[in-house]
Amino acid sequence: MKKIKRKILAFGYWLLVIGLLFYTRFVGLNWGLPYPMHPDERNMAVAVQRLNCEISNLEFRVLNFKECFNPHFFAYGQLPLYLAYFLIWVWRGFYDVGRMIISYDEAIMALRIISAFSSIFSALIMIKILKIITNKKKENFWWLLIIIFSPFFIQFSHFGTTEALLMFFYLLLIYFCLLILKENIAIKRFIFLASLVSGLSLATKVSSLVYFFLPILTIFLIKDKNIYQKIFFIGYFLGEALVFFLIFSPHNIISWSEFISALRYESAVALGKMPVFYTKQFDYSLPIVFQLIKVIPAALGMIGFIGLIGLIRFIGKRERKIIFLVLAFFLYFLPNALIYVKWTRFLAPIFPLILIFGILFLESLKIKKVIRIIIIIFAILPGIGYLSIYQNSDVRFEASEWIFKNIRQSSYILSETANVVDLPIIPPKLRNLNLNQIINRNYQIFSFNFYDLDQNKSLQKELAHHLNKAEYIIVPSRRIFANYTCFWPEKKDDLFLRLTYDKSRCEDLKKRFPYLNRYYQDLFSGRLGFEKVVEFSSYPKISFFGKTLLEFPDEQAEETWTVFDHPVIRVYKRVKRW
């Protein structure tokens, strides 16, 4: 009878865990559709739509391999694109492979499902890693709570991009390496598994070449093999990994010139050699400090700081498993922290490691159970709050609905370009309600190129014309004012600016972009003749019966953390002539 009760309790326990994992990763997975809210996700979805290999006659059976399943997109590898294509093919009942016409929504959902499942598998692998490190046979439930309600896991699960997949591969490699170090797996099996995962990661994104150092390092740490055997195993691992890479991302070789061209472009952007509008937030940014202040707190919350404390504490440990984890962290962190671009996604593979260090640190503390519970509650609150972004309507839909209801017909509206979608857009819930009334608003909307304002005199004259006629101004996100000026719409503590950027930043921006700085300063201060009438935000929050109990404003975090799924939108109305 006791065994039956234990089995029932165990079943209920794992049902709860799997239920929470699936809910947090899949709730609101269709957010933003049918609009392309995330540029990387949009590019990948379009690439999936291109994947076909129709053979029309016998002559083409000696076929043009360069076009067969060629995505003509090489910012990432083909593995996630082929996985998405495969999912759609299965969903359609294994019909028309090579000839499918894929809709944008289908491609997006397939990519997001891959991310959601990758996140679930990552959580399970983390538990196995923690068991190896702690030598425990059973996990603590609070480990799972911290992992399940981690903001970065929740966000990346909802992005049809490569981050969740790359996190999973990095964790899987670490797990296999720990198994061989613990002598729980044979060397030949380890090399096969490590080469498979390394090849898959490289087929996902070429920058994951750094992953290869983990198995190489592990082979050198194996005790019962001499140097010649180790060199042989490393060569075998590299050769096998290359084979898997070519199988799952063949067009990196078949379409070599396209691949190299894309690689050069992406490298130039990442290193700051090619200035583009979407990397301006990194001008004057301080390496490592930027990530510590603008990336890790938003992505991990309080457990991020606890994890970094744990990392520092474990650096001096001599246990091989801990040494390996520390090396795995710095192996990925340092090269990505020191380059010009410091996007949140560039650190994605090591976020789970920070969680692991945080959990290990809490495990090592000799504190009362009540204090531990309080810490855990505060650690999971940001993740619980982050779910609200996907549980509620997209903030751009809310803003658009307000615009349709409150701004009169034919109004002259000035907005900003390069924000993925131009507002207003038709919210899904209004698409079949009074559609003619919405469409016939006939707003005069001008999506203005503010990025080149200071370099182009004709744009300066054009802006004066728009400002003279505009009845409303929409600031659809922080992408321009936060990167080209030091002015914010509301008075905000500039401590973040002082700590994360060179002290010369604000003065230099005023000199380099005087028109832009004057425009935003005058707009936000009211001197331009406009006042803010409404602001729409979708900050992570915890609500109860419609009342917000706790909110986590994160607009000042690294830009891509907020602008894709929860930007802040501000609408200004003319109150006097300029």
Side-chain angles (χ1 to χ4, degrees):
M1 197 68 181
K2 287 183 179 179
K3 283 186 178 181
I4 295 173
K5 284 183 179 179
R6 279 200 298 269
K7 286 182 179 180
I8 292 172
L9 287 173
F11 177 77
Y13 170 84
W14 281 107
L15 190 65
L16 174 63
V17 169
I18 298 300
L20 285 173
L21 273 171
F22 268 84
Y23 179 77
T24 54
R25 275 54 175 169
F26 280 90
V27 64
L29 202 64
N30 64 340
W31 69 274
L33 289 176
Y35 299 97
M37 301 300 195
H38 191 307
D40 282 345
E41 185 181 65
R42 175 197 62 208
N43 292 336
M44 291 182 69
V46 171
V48 171
Q49 290 180 287
R50 293 194 194 108
L51 293 178
N52 264 318
C53 192
E54 188 171 0
I55 301 172
S56 56
N57 57 55
L58 289 175
E59 289 181 22
F60 288 97
R61 287 195 181 277
V62 187
L63 182 54
N64 187 346
F65 286 106
K66 199 166 185 178
E67 291 305 316
C68 187
F69 287 107
N70 187 346
H72 294 289
F73 174 69
F74 293 92
Y76 304 111
Q78 287 97 67
L79 176 65
L81 309 179
Y82 291 167
L83 282 175
Y85 189 93
F86 175 76
L87 281 179
I88 296 167
W89 179 57
V90 171
W91 178 255
R92 292 188 179 187
F94 306 94
Y95 181 70
D96 268 355
V97 65
R99 295 183 290 126
M100 291 193 297
I101 297 174
I102 298 172
S103 71
Y104 177 78
D105 286 12
E106 280 181 310
I108 288 290
M109 287 304 296
L111 289 166
R112 289 180 183 176
I113 287 169
I114 292 167
S115 293
F117 273 109
S118 297
S119 181
I120 290 172
F121 296 146
S122 293
L124 300 177
I125 293 297
M126 284 181 69
I127 295 300
K128 289 183 173 293
I129 291 172
L130 283 164
K131 286 180 180 179
I132 290 174
I133 301 296
T134 59
N135 293 314
K136 288 188 174 182
K137 292 183 178 179
K138 194 176 187 309
E139 73 286 341
N140 288 319
F141 183 63
W142 63 267
W143 295 0
L144 287 159
L145 288 178
I146 288 175
I147 293 168
I148 289 169
F149 292 106
S150 294
F152 71 88
F153 265 140
I154 294 169
Q155 186 187 74
F156 291 145
S157 296
H158 288 78
F159 287 176
T161 53
T162 60
E163 285 72 54
L165 200 56
L166 290 171
M167 282 192 290
F168 171 62
F169 288 145
Y170 203 57
L171 283 169
L172 201 54
L173 266 182
I174 290 170
Y175 174 62
F176 291 146
C177 291
L178 289 173
L179 283 181
I180 192 72
L181 290 176
K182 200 179 176 184
E183 299 177 356
N184 280 6
I185 187 173
I187 183 67
K188 289 183 180 178
R189 189 180 177 196
F190 164 73
I191 289 174
F192 171 76
L193 293 173
S195 61
L196 173 62
V197 176
S198 298
L200 293 175
S201 64
L202 196 62
T204 302
K205 193 174 182 181
V206 173
S207 62
S208 62
L209 185 65
V210 71
Y211 288 20
F212 283 47
F213 287 102
L214 291 183
I216 292 171
L217 174 64
T218 304
I219 290 170
F220 272 115
L221 291 175
I222 295 173
K223 292 179 179 179
D224 61 344
K225 306 295 178 186
N226 62 46
I227 188 65
Y228 300 107
Q229 289 174 311
K230 291 177 180 180
I231 292 172
F232 171 78
F233 288 136
I234 289 170
Y236 190 69
F237 155 73
L238 291 173
E240 205 165 36
L242 180 62
V243 170
F244 287 122
F245 163 64
L246 294 176
I247 290 171
F248 293 103
S249 194
H251 278 283
N252 285 15
I253 302 299
I254 297 170
S255 305
W256 179 256
S257 59
E258 284 186 82
F259 165 63
I260 289 298
S261 177
L263 186 62
R264 285 172 180 163
Y265 173 80
E266 297 295 336
S267 299
V269 170
L271 298 173
K273 294 179 180 179
M274 182 178 288
V276 290
F277 74 90
Y278 52 86
T279 62
K280 294 300 292 184
Q281 65 167 319
F282 305 121
D283 284 358
Y284 308 96
S285 61
L286 300 175
I288 299 179
V289 176
F290 186 94
Q291 288 90 344
L292 291 177
I293 293 177
K294 283 184 169 283
V295 174
I296 291 175
L300 290 104
M302 187 180 78
I303 195 67
F305 293 109
I306 295 173
L308 292 176
I309 293 169
L311 170 67
I312 294 168
R313 178 175 175 179
F314 295 134
I315 283 175
K317 294 282 185 181
R318 294 188 177 182
E319 188 179 350
R320 283 204 305 169
K321 293 177 291 185
I322 296 294
I323 292 171
F324 182 81
L325 276 186
V326 172
L327 288 174
F329 173 85
F330 284 109
L331 177 71
Y332 198 89
F333 174 75
L334 289 177
N336 285 284
L338 297 175
I339 62 175
Y340 168 72
V341 296
K342 303 169 183 68
W343 287 309
T344 301
R345 65 178 181 271
F346 273 29
L347 292 187
I350 59 166
F351 288 155
L353 288 181
I354 297 175
L355 275 192
I356 288 172
F357 286 124
I359 291 170
L360 292 175
F361 180 68
L362 290 177
E363 277 281 355
S364 69
L365 292 179
K366 295 179 180 179
I367 54 177
K368 292 183 178 179
K369 191 175 182 179
V370 176
I371 297 174
R372 193 191 302 275
I373 291 172
I374 292 171
I375 293 172
I376 292 164
I377 289 172
F378 276 100
I380 66 175
L381 285 177
I384 296 173
Y386 208 86
L387 287 172
S388 66
I389 294 170
Y390 308 111
Q391 290 167 330
N392 299 309
S393 176
D394 188 280
V395 67
R396 284 151 294 206
F397 295 153
E398 292 180 11
S400 297
E401 189 174 347
W402 184 92
I403 290 169
F404 288 128
K405 289 180 179 179
N406 294 279
I407 296 183
R408 65 182 177 80
Q409 186 173 342
S410 302
S411 292
Y412 200 103
I413 301 172
L414 177 64
S415 189
E416 300 174 356
T417 191
N419 275 279
V420 187
V421 294
D422 290 328
L423 299 179
I425 53 179
I426 300 175
K429 67 180 180 181
L430 295 183
R431 291 179 77 83
N432 297 318
L433 298 173
N434 301 319
L435 192 56
N436 291 329
Q437 182 181 350
I438 292 171
I439 293 173
N440 291 334
R441 286 283 178 173
N442 291 323
Y443 295 129
Q444 300 179 69
I445 302 172
F446 295 88
S447 185
F448 188 75
N449 176 18
F450 283 96
Y451 292 99
D452 297 326
L453 181 64
D454 281 277
Q455 292 78 36
N456 191 325
K457 289 187 178 181
S458 64
L459 285 176
Q460 295 165 17
K461 292 178 182 178
E462 187 181 333
L463 178 61
H465 169 76
H466 288 315
L467 289 176
N468 186 51
K469 297 186 69 175
E471 298 165 76
Y472 290 87
I473 293 176
I474 297 175
V475 181
S477 77
R478 49 149 284 171
R479 298 200 80 165
I480 301 178
F481 72 77
N483 298 334
Y484 289 80
T485 82
C486 286
F487 301 113
W488 281 77
E490 302 80 26
K491 186 177 180 182
K492 291 182 182 282
D493 184 7
D494 64 354
L495 177 64
F496 285 106
L497 293 175
R498 293 199 304 269
L499 292 177
T500 56
Y501 291 102
D502 187 276
K503 61 183 179 181
S504 66
R505 178 179 185 263
C506 291
E507 288 303 314
D508 282 359
L509 289 176
K510 286 179 184 177
K511 292 176 183 176
R512 291 174 60 196
F513 308 105
Y515 280 93
L516 263 180
N517 275 261
R518 192 180 310 128
Y519 168 75
Y520 283 109
Q521 186 179 23
D522 289 348
L523 174 63
F524 298 154
S525 66
R527 287 198 295 270
L528 207 57
F530 292 79
E531 70 175 16
K532 187 172 71 174
V533 289
V534 65
E535 177 178 305
F536 298 92
S537 63
S538 182
Y539 294 131
K541 63 184 178 183
I542 297 174
S543 302
F544 188 69
F545 287 105
K547 185 176 180 180
T548 299
L549 304 179
L550 194 61
E551 191 172 61
F552 303 90
D554 57 359
E555 191 182 17
Q556 285 190 300
E558 189 276 308
E559 182 177 285
T560 61
W561 180 257
T562 64
V563 295
F564 299 146
D565 60 352
H566 63 291
V568 178
I569 301 164
R570 298 169 175 91
V571 180
Y572 294 80
K573 182 180 181 180
R574 181 183 292 283
V575 292
K576 61 181 179 180
R577 280 286 151 193
W578 183 39

